[in-house]
Amino acid sequence: MKISKKQSLGAAAVVVALTLGAVSTTAMANAPAHHHAPVSEQDQLHALYRQAKAQGGKVTVYMGGDAPGQWDNLATAFQQQFPDVKLNLVTDLSKYHDARIDNQLATGSLVADAAILQTAQDFDRWKKQGDLLRYKPVGWDKVFADAKDKDGYYTGVFYGAFSYVVNSKQLPANPGDFKGTDLLKPAYKNKLVLTYPNDDDAVLFGYKQLVDKYGWNYLAQLVKQNPKLIRGVPGSAAGVASGDYLASIAVGGDARPNGTQVFSDTERFNSWAQRGAIFKNAPHKAGAKLFMSWLDSQAVQKNAIATWTWSVRKDVSPPAGLRPLASYKNTDQTAFAKFMSDRASVERFRSQVELYFGQVKGADPGDPTDTLGRSPGAF
């Protein structure tokens, strides 16, 4: 998934806000009990914390992303609030994490207690195979229905959204009027930075939507613009942010000071709930329950998620400058999961896209030193 300057710059504020939440957790835990008062989310987290400590105080989470340390702000905030639970939060591309998990399941050597990935089809498969723990995190009833499994085997933690990222000076008076064919203009020759669509399925789905609208000749014309092709989404946003490039396609992230993410009024864009789940045979179930409940709690969704993207909770407002996701008529939060579920169609489309952009080149952006191996995060 994506990382932005806003995430990095806001990390300290997130830690402070959530550490204050830890203080309130302790205060409420020490307050006199009221038999008929509803149990607060912070009280629930405090109870889960006690259970996690009793089970050894450890948890390993595999989280999809394409830059080392992408989610360090979350890990730091969690450790500030729950210092007696050691968290191994391992970031890598989702398509590599799911292979690790499948191998660990097949060899009876499960390391990952929980996974938060964009490979939506894996969660449905793992549920069917009986590999997931049925668990509804704190605040589950406040999570949008399209962001969770109705039976409670997986729950979304944020909404991702990939669309155009464009230099602000290139936008029309109404940014929503921007469309893919604008990128075929002479001004964009040698000035496009694109994440390989055949390397990232969330990016690939954005290109599927473009081909559905404009046809395959659009990709042929796009390639003639001589785009710079890279691995990972953050680099595309950063390329526009620096001013070195004018636009990217089907990505996300903070492109300031020179660019912005654009949601077209005439074209579809990809939005989806990033799913998270706990494995039935997780070595540290209590720690995994604490982490997933913490991440879906109102305080974290407000202070650490809704600062840069849409929360999966109904009671948390979207980031400044964005409307509620459901109000955007050119996106369907369930479409990506449907696309991902038909693996034969995905691979056919990927193979055709590769004819235009070539085979993926470069190191894994999430593991550039190739050191994670089959079972990272093992205690």
Side-chain angles (χ1 to χ4, degrees):
M1 271 300 298
K2 63 185 178 181
I3 185 172
S4 68
K5 294 178 183 175
K6 185 183 294 184
Q7 281 177 273
S8 299
L9 294 174
V14 169
V15 172
V16 170
L18 297 180
T19 302
L20 290 176
V23 175
S24 66
T25 299
T26 304
M28 281 184 279
N30 293 330
H34 298 283
H35 296 294
H36 302 292
V39 180
S40 72
E41 291 191 359
Q42 293 299 325
D43 281 340
Q44 294 176 66
L45 290 177
H46 188 77
L48 290 169
Y49 184 32
R50 292 198 306 270
Q51 294 168 19
K53 288 191 292 183
Q55 199 182 68
K58 297 177 181 178
V59 60
T60 296
V61 179
Y62 285 3
M63 195 157 179
D66 37 15
Q70 181 168 344
W71 304 109
D72 280 358
N73 60 325
L74 287 179
T76 300
F78 179 85
Q79 294 288 187
Q80 288 278 357
Q81 188 165 352
F82 307 110
D84 293 328
V85 174
K86 180 175 174 54
L87 168 66
N88 272 341
L89 185 58
V90 185
T91 302
D92 198 2
L93 300 184
S94 293
K95 67 179 183 179
Y96 298 146
H97 270 333
D98 67 352
R100 290 184 177 105
I101 292 166
D102 281 334
N103 186 253
Q104 291 170 18
L105 290 170
T107 58
S109 57
L110 187 63
V111 169
D113 296 301
I116 299 170
L117 309 173
Q118 76 175 27
T119 49
Q121 78 284 358
D122 287 321
F123 294 87
D124 294 314
R125 175 173 59 85
W126 286 328
K127 174 187 174 181
K128 185 176 181 179
Q129 292 172 181
D131 293 321
L132 298 182
L133 180 71
R134 186 177 184 181
Y135 177 68
K136 297 178 179 180
V138 165
W140 189 87
D141 60 325
K142 300 292 186 181
V143 174
F144 288 104
D146 61 42
K148 62 187 178 184
D149 174 53
K150 62 182 178 61
D151 298 317
Y153 284 96
Y154 56 78
T155 306
V157 299
F158 61 77
Y159 284 109
F162 282 178
S163 60
Y164 300 109
V165 173
V166 185
N167 184 289
S168 301
K169 295 179 181 177
Q170 300 296 316
L171 293 174
N174 174 25
D177 291 337
F178 188 86
K179 49 190 181 296
T181 49
D182 291 341
L183 300 177
L184 305 181
K185 296 177 180 178
Y188 292 95
K189 181 82 171 184
N190 303 315
K191 285 294 183 178
L192 296 174
V193 55
L194 307 179
T195 299
Y196 279 104
N198 41 323
D199 193 32
D200 185 316
D201 284 351
V203 179
L204 185 70
F205 184 53
Y207 281 75
K208 178 67 166 61
Q209 293 173 314
L210 277 171
V211 170
D212 287 347
K213 184 174 179 65
Y214 294 118
W216 285 102
N217 187 56
Y218 175 80
L219 293 193
Q221 296 303 309
L222 186 67
V223 170
K224 290 181 179 179
Q225 293 289 65
N226 193 34
K228 171 70 173 178
L229 292 166
I230 65 172
R231 297 194 72 185
V233 169
S236 288
V240 178
S242 68
D244 293 338
Y245 297 94
L246 294 181
S248 190
I249 295 174
V251 296
D254 190 346
R256 295 176 297 175
N258 289 300
T260 188
Q261 190 168 9
V262 178
F263 302 105
S264 173
D265 291 335
T266 59
E267 296 179 357
R268 302 197 68 77
F269 67 91
N270 183 18
S271 65
W272 73 97
Q274 190 89 332
R275 295 177 177 180
I278 300 170
F279 293 100
K280 184 174 66 176
N281 293 325
H284 313 101
K285 290 188 184 67
K289 290 178 180 179
L290 174 63
F291 183 80
M292 289 300 301
S293 282
W294 173 81
L295 194 51
D296 273 317
S297 67
Q298 186 183 40
V300 176
Q301 287 287 307
K302 178 180 178 181
N303 294 314
I305 301 299
T307 57
W308 61 280
T309 192
W310 288 276
S311 167
V312 293
R313 289 182 58 128
K314 305 170 188 176
D315 55 355
V316 175
S317 300
L322 294 177
R323 308 193 307 268
L325 187 55
S327 71
Y328 291 83
K329 303 307 179 186
N330 288 337
T331 191
D332 175 358
Q333 296 91 285
T334 66
F336 178 57
K338 294 174 183 175
F339 169 76
M340 293 288 278
S341 68
D342 187 346
R343 299 313 296 169
S345 294
V346 170
E347 296 308 324
R348 280 195 299 271
F349 184 71
R350 188 198 316 281
S351 296
Q352 292 180 76
V353 166
E354 193 166 290
L355 296 174
Y356 293 81
F357 295 104
Q359 294 183 353
V360 175
K361 298 177 182 178
D364 170 11
D367 182 22
T369 57
D370 193 25
T371 55
L372 289 180
R374 291 191 302 272
S375 55
F379 285 101

Coordinates of all heavy atoms in Angstrom, one line a residue, residues 141-188:
D141 N -18.8 -3.5 15.3 CA -20.2 -3.1 14.9 C -20.2 -1.7 14.2 O -21.2 -1.3 13.5 CB -21.2 -3.1 16.1 CG -20.7 -2.2 17.2 OD1 -19.5 -2.0 17.4 OD2 -21.6 -1.6 17.8
K142 N -19.1 -0.9 14.4 CA -19.1 0.4 13.8 C -18.4 0.4 12.4 O -18.3 1.4 11.7 CB -18.3 1.3 14.7 CG -18.9 1.5 16.1 CD -20.2 2.3 16.0 CE -20.7 2.6 17.5 NZ -22.0 3.3 17.4
V143 N -17.9 -0.8 12.0 CA -17.2 -0.9 10.7 C -18.2 -1.1 9.6 O -19.2 -1.8 9.7 CB -16.2 -2.1 10.8 CG1 -15.5 -2.3 9.4 CG2 -15.1 -1.9 11.8
F144 N -17.9 -0.4 8.5 CA -18.8 -0.5 7.3 C -19.0 -1.9 6.9 O -18.0 -2.7 6.9 CB -18.3 0.4 6.2 CG -18.5 1.8 6.4 CD1 -17.3 2.6 6.7 CD2 -19.7 2.5 6.2 CE1 -17.4 4.0 6.9 CE2 -19.8 3.9 6.4 CZ -18.7 4.6 6.8
A145 N -20.2 -2.3 6.5 CA -20.4 -3.7 6.1 C -19.5 -4.2 5.0 O -19.1 -5.3 4.9 CB -21.9 -3.9 5.7
D146 N -19.2 -3.3 4.0 CA -18.4 -3.7 2.9 C -16.9 -3.8 3.2 O -16.1 -4.2 2.4 CB -18.5 -2.7 1.7 CG -18.1 -1.3 2.0 OD1 -17.0 -1.1 2.6 OD2 -18.8 -0.4 1.6
A147 N -16.5 -3.5 4.5 CA -15.1 -3.6 4.9 C -14.9 -4.8 5.9 O -13.8 -4.8 6.5 CB -14.7 -2.3 5.6
K148 N -15.9 -5.7 6.0 CA -15.7 -6.8 7.0 C -16.4 -8.0 6.5 O -17.4 -7.9 5.7 CB -16.1 -6.4 8.4 CG -17.6 -6.1 8.4 CD -18.0 -5.5 9.8 CE -19.5 -5.1 9.9 NZ -19.9 -4.5 11.2
D149 N -15.9 -9.1 6.9 CA -16.6 -10.4 6.7 C -17.8 -10.5 7.6 O -17.7 -10.3 8.8 CB -15.6 -11.6 7.0 CG -16.3 -12.9 6.9 OD1 -17.0 -13.2 5.9 OD2 -16.2 -13.7 7.8
K150 N -18.9 -10.8 7.1 CA -20.2 -10.9 7.9 C -20.1 -11.9 9.0 O -20.8 -11.7 10.0 CB -21.4 -11.2 7.0 CG -21.4 -12.5 6.3 CD -22.6 -12.7 5.5 CE -22.6 -14.1 4.7 NZ -22.6 -15.2 5.7
D151 N -19.2 -12.9 8.9 CA -19.1 -13.9 9.9 C -18.0 -13.6 10.9 O -17.8 -14.3 11.9 CB -18.8 -15.3 9.3 CG -20.0 -15.7 8.4 OD1 -21.1 -15.6 8.8 OD2 -19.7 -16.2 7.3
G152 N -17.2 -12.5 10.6 CA -16.2 -12.0 11.6 C -14.8 -12.7 11.4 O -14.0 -12.6 12.4
Y153 N -14.5 -13.3 10.3 CA -13.2 -13.9 10.1 C -12.2 -12.9 9.6 O -11.0 -13.2 9.7 CB -13.4 -15.1 9.1 CG -14.0 -16.3 9.7 CD1 -15.4 -16.5 9.5 CD2 -13.2 -17.2 10.4 CE1 -16.0 -17.6 10.1 CE2 -13.8 -18.3 11.0 CZ -15.2 -18.5 10.9 OH -15.8 -19.6 11.5
Y154 N -12.5 -11.8 9.0 CA -11.6 -10.7 8.7 C -12.3 -9.4 8.8 O -13.5 -9.3 8.6 CB -10.9 -10.9 7.3 CG -11.9 -11.1 6.2 CD1 -12.5 -10.0 5.6 CD2 -12.2 -12.3 5.6 CE1 -13.4 -10.1 4.5 CE2 -13.0 -12.5 4.5 CZ -13.6 -11.3 4.0 OH -14.5 -11.5 2.9
T155 N -11.5 -8.3 9.0 CA -12.0 -7.0 9.2 C -11.1 -6.0 8.6 O -9.9 -6.1 8.7 CB -12.2 -6.6 10.7 OG1 -13.0 -7.6 11.3 CG2 -12.9 -5.3 10.9
G156 N -11.6 -5.0 7.8 CA -10.8 -4.0 7.2 C -10.2 -3.1 8.3 O -10.7 -2.9 9.4
V157 N -9.0 -2.5 7.9 CA -8.4 -1.6 8.8 C -8.3 -0.2 8.2 O -8.1 0.8 9.0 CB -7.0 -2.1 9.3 CG1 -7.1 -3.4 10.0 CG2 -6.0 -2.2 8.1
F158 N -8.4 0.0 6.9 CA -8.4 1.3 6.3 C -8.9 1.1 4.9 O -8.9 0.0 4.3 CB -7.1 2.1 6.3 CG -6.0 1.4 5.6 CD1 -5.8 1.4 4.2 CD2 -5.0 0.8 6.3 CE1 -4.8 0.8 3.6 CE2 -3.9 0.1 5.7 CZ -3.8 0.1 4.3
Y159 N -9.4 2.2 4.2 CA -9.7 2.1 2.8 C -8.5 2.7 2.0 O -8.0 3.8 2.3 CB -10.9 3.0 2.5 CG -12.2 2.4 2.9 CD1 -13.0 2.9 3.9 CD2 -12.7 1.3 2.2 CE1 -14.2 2.3 4.3 CE2 -14.0 0.7 2.5 CZ -14.7 1.2 3.6 OH -15.9 0.7 3.9
G160 N -8.0 1.9 1.1 CA -7.0 2.4 0.1 C -7.8 3.0 -1.1 O -8.9 2.7 -1.4
A161 N -7.1 3.9 -1.8 CA -7.7 4.5 -3.0 C -6.5 4.9 -3.9 O -5.6 5.6 -3.6 CB -8.5 5.8 -2.6
F162 N -6.6 4.3 -5.1 CA -5.6 4.6 -6.2 C -6.2 5.3 -7.3 O -7.3 4.9 -7.8 CB -4.9 3.3 -6.6 CG -3.9 2.7 -5.7 CD1 -3.2 1.5 -6.0 CD2 -3.5 3.4 -4.5 CE1 -2.2 1.0 -5.1 CE2 -2.6 2.9 -3.7 CZ -1.9 1.7 -4.0
S163 N -5.6 6.4 -7.8 CA -6.1 7.1 -8.9 C -5.0 7.9 -9.5 O -3.8 7.5 -9.4 CB -7.2 8.1 -8.4 OG -6.7 9.0 -7.4
Y164 N -5.2 9.0 -10.2 CA -4.2 9.8 -10.8 C -3.5 10.6 -9.7 O -4.1 11.1 -8.8 CB -4.7 10.7 -11.9 CG -5.4 10.0 -13.0 CD1 -6.8 10.1 -13.2 CD2 -4.7 9.3 -14.0 CE1 -7.4 9.5 -14.2 CE2 -5.3 8.7 -15.0 CZ -6.6 8.7 -15.2 OH -7.3 8.1 -16.2
V165 N -2.2 10.8 -9.9 CA -1.4 11.8 -9.1 C -0.8 12.7 -10.1 O -0.1 12.3 -11.0 CB -0.4 11.1 -8.2 CG1 0.5 12.2 -7.6 CG2 -1.0 10.2 -7.2
V166 N -1.1 14.0 -10.0 CA -0.8 15.0 -11.1 C -0.2 16.2 -10.5 O -0.6 16.7 -9.4 CB -2.1 15.3 -11.9 CG1 -1.8 16.2 -13.1 CG2 -2.8 14.0 -12.3
N167 N 0.7 16.8 -11.3 CA 1.2 18.1 -11.0 C 0.1 19.1 -10.9 O -0.7 19.2 -11.9 CB 2.3 18.5 -12.0 CG 3.0 19.8 -11.6 OD1 2.4 20.9 -11.7 ND2 4.2 19.8 -11.3
S168 N 0.0 19.9 -9.9 CA -1.2 20.8 -9.7 C -1.3 21.8 -10.8 O -2.4 22.2 -11.2 CB -1.0 21.5 -8.3 OG -1.0 20.6 -7.3
K169 N -0.2 22.2 -11.4 CA -0.3 23.2 -12.5 C -0.8 22.6 -13.8 O -1.2 23.4 -14.7 CB 1.1 23.8 -12.7 CG 1.7 24.6 -11.6 CD 3.1 25.1 -11.9 CE 3.6 25.9 -10.7 NZ 5.0 26.4 -10.9
Q170 N -0.9 21.3 -13.9 CA -1.4 20.7 -15.1 C -2.9 20.4 -15.0 O -3.5 20.0 -16.0 CB -0.7 19.3 -15.3 CG 0.8 19.5 -15.5 CD 1.2 20.2 -16.7 OE1 0.6 20.0 -17.8 NE2 2.2 21.2 -16.6
L171 N -3.5 20.7 -13.9 CA -4.9 20.4 -13.7 C -5.9 21.4 -14.3 O -5.5 22.6 -14.3 CB -5.2 20.2 -12.2 CG -4.6 19.0 -11.5 CD1 -4.8 19.0 -10.0 CD2 -5.1 17.7 -12.2
P172 N -7.0 21.0 -14.8 CA -8.0 22.0 -15.2 C -8.6 22.7 -14.0 O -8.3 22.4 -12.9 CB -9.1 21.1 -15.9 CG -8.9 19.8 -15.3 CD -7.4 19.6 -15.0
A173 N -9.4 23.8 -14.3 CA -10.0 24.5 -13.2 C -10.8 23.6 -12.2 O -10.7 23.8 -11.0 CB -10.9 25.6 -13.8
N174 N -11.5 22.7 -12.8 CA -12.1 21.6 -11.9 C -11.3 20.4 -12.0 O -11.3 19.7 -13.1 CB -13.5 21.4 -12.4 CG -14.2 20.2 -11.6 OD1 -13.8 19.9 -10.5 ND2 -15.1 19.5 -12.3
P175 N -10.5 20.0 -11.0 CA -9.6 18.8 -11.1 C -10.4 17.6 -11.5 O -9.8 16.7 -12.1 CB -9.1 18.7 -9.7 CG -9.1 20.1 -9.2 CD -10.4 20.7 -9.7
G176 N -11.7 17.5 -11.1 CA -12.4 16.3 -11.5 C -12.6 16.1 -13.0 O -13.0 15.0 -13.4
D177 N -12.3 17.2 -13.8 CA -12.4 17.1 -15.2 C -11.2 16.4 -15.8 O -11.2 16.1 -17.0 CB -12.6 18.4 -15.9 CG -13.9 19.1 -15.5 OD1 -14.9 18.3 -15.2 OD2 -14.0 20.3 -15.6
F178 N -10.2 16.1 -15.0 CA -9.0 15.4 -15.6 C -9.3 14.0 -16.0 O -10.1 13.4 -15.3 CB -7.9 15.4 -14.5 CG -6.6 14.9 -15.0 CD1 -5.7 15.8 -15.6 CD2 -6.2 13.6 -14.9 CE1 -4.4 15.4 -16.1 CE2 -5.0 13.1 -15.3 CZ -4.1 14.0 -15.9
K179 N -8.8 13.6 -17.1 CA -9.0 12.2 -17.5 C -7.8 11.6 -18.1 O -6.8 12.3 -18.4 CB -10.2 12.2 -18.5 CG -10.1 13.2 -19.7 CD -11.3 13.2 -20.5 CE -11.3 14.2 -21.6 NZ -11.1 15.6 -21.2
G180 N -7.8 10.3 -18.3 CA -6.6 9.6 -18.7 C -6.1 10.0 -20.1 O -4.9 10.0 -20.3
T181 N -6.9 10.4 -21.0 CA -6.5 10.8 -22.3 C -5.6 12.1 -22.2 O -4.9 12.4 -23.1 CB -7.6 11.1 -23.2 OG1 -8.6 11.9 -22.6 CG2 -8.3 9.7 -23.6
D182 N -5.8 12.9 -21.1 CA -4.9 14.1 -21.0 C -3.4 13.7 -20.9 O -2.6 14.5 -21.3 CB -5.3 14.8 -19.7 CG -6.7 15.5 -19.7 OD1 -7.2 15.7 -20.9 OD2 -7.2 15.8 -18.7
L183 N -3.1 12.5 -20.4 CA -1.8 12.1 -20.3 C -1.1 11.8 -21.6 O 0.1 11.5 -21.7 CB -1.7 10.9 -19.4 CG -2.2 11.1 -18.0 CD1 -2.1 9.8 -17.2 CD2 -1.4 12.2 -17.3
L184 N -1.9 11.8 -22.7 CA -1.3 11.5 -24.0 C -0.9 12.8 -24.7 O -0.4 12.7 -25.9 CB -2.4 10.7 -24.9 CG -2.9 9.4 -24.3 CD1 -3.9 8.8 -25.3 CD2 -1.8 8.5 -24.0
K185 N -1.1 13.9 -24.1 CA -0.7 15.2 -24.7 C 0.8 15.4 -24.7 O 1.5 14.7 -23.9 CB -1.4 16.3 -23.9 CG -2.9 16.3 -23.9 CD -3.5 17.5 -23.1 CE -5.0 17.5 -23.1 NZ -5.6 18.5 -22.2
P186 N 1.3 16.2 -25.6 CA 2.8 16.4 -25.7 C 3.5 16.8 -24.4 O 4.6 16.4 -24.1 CB 2.9 17.5 -26.7 CG 1.7 17.3 -27.6 CD 0.6 16.9 -26.6
A187 N 2.8 17.5 -23.5 CA 3.4 18.0 -22.3 C 3.8 16.9 -21.4 O 4.8 17.0 -20.6 CB 2.4 18.9 -21.5
Y188 N 3.2 15.7 -21.5 CA 3.6 14.6 -20.7 C 4.6 13.6 -21.3 O 5.0 12.7 -20.6 CB 2.3 13.8 -20.3 CG 1.3 14.6 -19.5 CD1 0.3 15.3 -20.0 CD2 1.5 14.6 -18.1 CE1 -0.6 16.0 -19.2 CE2 0.6 15.3 -17.3 CZ -0.4 16.0 -17.9 OH -1.3 16.7 -17.1

